Each structure stands twice: as C-alpha cells, then as structure tokens.
Amino acid sequence: MYRITVIPGDGIGVEVMEAALHVLQALEIEFEFTHAEAGNECFRRCGDTLPEETLKLVRKADATLFGAVTTVPGQKSAIITLRRELDLFANLRPVKSLPGVPCLYPDLDFVIVRENTEDLYVGDEEYTPEGAVAKRIITRTASRRISQFAFQYAQKEGMQKV
C-alpha cells in the first residue's frame, strides 16, 4: 500500500485533483489517501499558506499530489516552501511521441531537467508603483547540482545526449 498526501489546493486545483484521484482509484494498486491543505483558501481559514501539519503529512507519505494553488500576495508561496523544505531541486518533464497519436514530430523522446529552487523560484518579489519586481538567484552550487543530476539521470536511463 502506498501512502499519498493529497493537497488539492484551490481554484482549478480542486477539480484537477478530483480527476487525478479518480484515475488512481481505477488502478489495481492499494492507496491510502490523506488530505491536507495549502494555498489561498487554506490561508483564509487558518492564516498560513502551508501549515506545519501539511508538511508533517507530506514528510510521512510515500508521495504527494499537489494541485494548483492561488498565490497570496505578501505571504510565502506554498509550492516554493514545499520545494525548499523537502529539497525538491529537480523537476523532470518527459516529452515523448506516442504510437498511433497524430503528432507533427513522431519521433520525440527527451526529458527537460529544470532546477526547481532557484532562478525566479526563490520567491523574492515585491510590488512597486511601477509594477512587480522579482529577484533571480542562480548559484554555482545549484547549477552544478542540477547538471550532475541531469547527467546521472541520462546515464541511468541510457540516453545518448544531455
């Protein structure tokens, strides 16, 4: 049995999460779902965008499903906080053409590896009279770490290029 923490979020996140859970429940795999809160609606109820109780549940789970959340101006970002707390620095985005599915490029097969904790994901933002300002931070340490991850991932998966 797999323990899954489910954080539906708010807005479209709730609707998307319902569909995701429907798909998982159709599988012949045993799941134990625990629901937790994060985002704007959570902030309205308890004054925190990512409560400590949610972090505890995520840490105990085998996996977490995180739906879309609305950013609360002036408050910590739930997803950025979660990434930092769990050191979720690598985001993998596989792209692959599927047989029988019409596609402009029928032989696509690659993975985008994105650093997930720096750049604009540091969440250092402010509103000014002219608009918004977001600070980008890119360090040698994080750049080296994501590069090493990408090369190790490619090697493990038998990929020819990075």
Side-chain angles (χ1 to χ4, degrees):
M1 174 169 356
Y2 296 97
R3 295 171 304 167
I4 312 292
T5 298
V6 178
I7 306 172
D10 46 53
I12 192 70
V14 176
E15 186 178 336
V16 171
M17 190 61 69
E18 280 180 30
L21 292 175
H22 183 73
V23 169
L24 289 177
Q25 290 165 343
L27 299 173
E28 292 183 16
I29 301 172
E30 247 186 271
F31 295 107
E32 176 187 311
F33 297 107
T34 303
H35 291 265
E37 293 185 297
N40 187 34
E41 293 302 319
C42 177
F43 179 76
R44 286 184 183 167
R45 276 193 294 284
C46 71
D48 199 344
T49 56
L50 186 70
E52 188 58 38
E53 179 60 25
T54 296
L55 281 170
K56 286 179 187 175
L57 291 170
V58 167
R59 286 188 178 108
K60 286 196 270 184
D62 296 310
T64 298
L65 290 175
F66 191 97
V69 295
T70 305
T71 301
V72 180
Q75 299 298 314
K76 66 183 178 188
S77 162
I79 192 65
I80 289 174
T81 303
L82 194 60
R83 287 174 184 163
R84 281 189 189 142
E85 288 288 325
L86 301 176
D87 197 26
L88 302 173
F89 69 94
N91 186 323
L92 299 177
R93 301 281 177 112
V95 179
K96 188 170 186 162
S97 302
L98 299 175
V101 177
C103 181
L104 195 56
Y105 302 98
D107 59 348
L108 287 177
D109 187 7
F110 65 94
V111 177
I112 297 169
V113 179
R114 185 186 80 194
E115 206 290 328
N116 222 20
T117 60
E118 289 196 343
D119 195 22
L120 293 175
Y121 297 113
V122 296
D124 189 352
E125 302 159 346
E126 65 178 289
Y127 291 100
T128 70
E130 293 296 314
V133 175
K135 187 174 183 181
R136 275 180 114 152
I137 297 176
I138 301 172
T139 66
R140 182 179 315 238
T141 300
S143 297
R144 182 174 288 128
R145 179 167 76 160
I146 196 66
S147 297
Q148 288 172 339
F149 178 89
F151 276 96
Q152 289 168 354
Y153 180 83
Q155 188 174 38
K156 180 180 133 206
E157 297 297 319
M159 298 173 169
Q160 301 301 310
K161 296 180 183 179
V162 175

